[in-house]
Amino acid sequence: MYAQKYARPIDGVSQAAYQTSFRPYWPGNVRELQNVIERAVLLAKGDRVEPVDLPFDNGSLPEGSPAGTGGMCR
């Protein structure tokens, strides 16, 4: 959806990026997930979203935040 919206040649999300996003599962709400995916599509260097394109892989989330530590949704 976002690749089409921004005319980006993104084919999908790598397995590593998917596993990084959902360990053990997504700790936020759907809107937060949409924002992360939209940002990753815009920042992706290649044709797939990779872990480095995600905010919690490069340290941009505050330390101790649920997404950054792989915490669970409450």
Side-chain angles (χ1 to χ4, degrees):
M1 175 175 84
Y2 294 116
Q4 200 171 31
K5 179 179 177 179
Y6 295 109
R8 300 274 305 163
I10 303 295
D11 292 331
V13 177
S14 73
Q15 185 65 30
Y18 180 84
Q19 290 174 343
T20 299
S21 300
F22 297 101
R23 71 174 170 224
Y25 56 86
W26 180 253
N29 63 39
V30 173
R31 181 73 175 157
E32 291 169 324
L33 178 58
Q34 289 173 329
N35 288 338
V36 166
I37 297 299
E38 183 175 18
R39 178 184 183 274
V41 165
L42 289 170
L43 296 178
K45 302 268 188 270
D47 62 351
R48 297 185 74 73
V49 171
E50 297 292 341
V52 72
D53 302 319
L54 301 170
F56 33 83
D57 189 60
N58 61 16
S60 65
L61 283 182
E63 192 159 323
S65 70
T69 60
M72 298 186 329
C73 183
R74 296 190 202 287

